[in-house]
Amino acid sequence: MDRARRQQALTLLPICLAFALSLTAVSSSYWCEGARKVTKPLCLDQLHGKNCIHFRRPNSSYGSKDESQVVLYIWEIGDDKFIQRRLHVGLWESCEENLNSTGERCRSFRSVVPTEEQGVLWLCIGAEVLVVFLILTSAILLGSRMSCHSCGFNWLKVDASIAILMVFAGLLGMVSHMMYTTIFQITVNLGPEDWRPQRWDYGWSYCLAWGSFALCMAVSVTVMSRYTTARLECSERQRVQKSTQHPQYGFPEPETSQRVWETGAAPSPSGHAFLNVPGKVSMC
C-alpha cells in the first residue's frame, strides 16, 4: 500500500506542474516576442536622450513667427533615424514599449488579428482554457484516489479516467498551440501597419505551454501503464482463486482406461496390471 501511495504521489507532482505551466502560459502575454522599426520623433529638447532625432534650425529662432523659412538639419541618417520598439504578444493582449521607456502600451490581440481569423483565435483560446480544466480535473481525481481507500469502489476506473483526461489534454493543447502559431504568422503578414513586427520569435510562455503538453503525455503513459499492470494482476488473482475453489481431480488417461477395458486388466495398487483369467492370475 505504501508503494502504491508513493507511485500516486510521484504521479500527482507532474500533474500539478503541468497545471501550473498551462495556467501561467494562458494568463501571460509572452507567447511571441519581437520588435518593429519606427521613426524617431524630433528632439524638441536638446538635452533629450538618444530616442529622438536631433536637429538644428539656422537663421531662425525658436520664437520666430515665420515658420516657412525654417530649415531643419537632421544629424541622424540611415538606421540612426529609426528605433527598435519591442513588443510581446499573448492569447489576450499585445503590449508595446513606449519610446521614452517609461512603460508599455497594451491593446487586445483580437483587435490586430484579421477579421476572418478571429473565429480561429476564439477556438484556440477555448481549447487552452479547456486544457487547464482537464488537467485540474485529473489532479482532483488523483488526489481523491490517494486520500480515499474505499474497498467498494473500483479505483482502476479512476486511473483509466486520469489517463484518458491527460492524453486528451495533451493532444488538445498541441492542436491549440499550432493554431496560435498559424494565427500569429497570418497576423504578421496581414495585420495593421502600426503593429507588424519586422523580427519576432517565440517567448517563454510558448515554451511553458509545450512543456505542459510534454508532462501531460508523460503522465498519461505512466498512468495507463500502471492501470494495465494492475488489471493483469487482478485477472491473474481471480484465475488463481477460481482454480483453488474448484480443484480438478485426476482421472486415468483415456488411452490407458481403454486399453485396460479391452484387455480386461485391472490396475493394482503397485502400478501393475493383472489379467483376469478364470482360475489363473498372471502379471502383464
Side-chain angles (χ1 to χ4, degrees), residues 30-37 84-89 95-97 184 195-203:
Y30 285 86
W31 284 62
C32 295
E33 300 181 65
R36 67 186 188 93
K37 186 183 294 186
Q84 294 290 334
R85 178 178 286 184
R86 293 188 298 270
L87 59 87
H88 53 89
V89 186
C95 296
E96 187 175 11
E97 69 174 354
F184 185 82
W195 178 85
R196 296 183 192 176
Q198 274 73 35
R199 58 179 180 85
W200 62 275
D201 200 354
Y202 298 108

Side-chain angles (χ1 to χ4, degrees), residues 97-110:
E97 69 174 354
N98 293 324
L99 290 178
N100 53 8
S101 300
T102 58
E104 293 180 336
R105 180 174 59 90
C106 297
R107 53 180 165 175
S108 174
F109 180 57
R110 187 176 62 87

Side-chain angles (χ1 to χ4, degrees), residues 183-200:
I183 293 170
F184 185 82
Q185 292 177 352
I186 293 175
T187 307
V188 169
N189 295 326
L190 303 177
E193 292 289 343
D194 62 342
W195 178 85
R196 296 183 192 176
Q198 274 73 35
R199 58 179 180 85
W200 62 275

Side-chain angles (χ1 to χ4, degrees), residues 25-47:
V26 170
S27 59
S28 63
S29 60
Y30 285 86
W31 284 62
C32 295
E33 300 181 65
R36 67 186 188 93
K37 186 183 294 186
V38 296
T39 305
K40 294 179 182 180
L42 297 178
C43 293
L44 300 179
D45 184 4
Q46 298 299 323
L47 299 178

Side-chain angles (χ1 to χ4, degrees), residues 60-92:
S60 178
S61 62
Y62 287 104
S64 175
K65 296 181 181 180
D66 189 6
E67 295 292 339
S68 60
Q69 301 298 324
V70 174
V71 179
L72 300 182
Y73 290 91
I74 307 299
W75 301 112
E76 283 79 8
I77 59 174
D79 289 339
D80 293 335
K81 293 176 58 178
F82 302 95
I83 185 174
Q84 294 290 334
R85 178 178 286 184
R86 293 188 298 270
L87 59 87
H88 53 89
V89 186
L91 292 173
W92 310 97

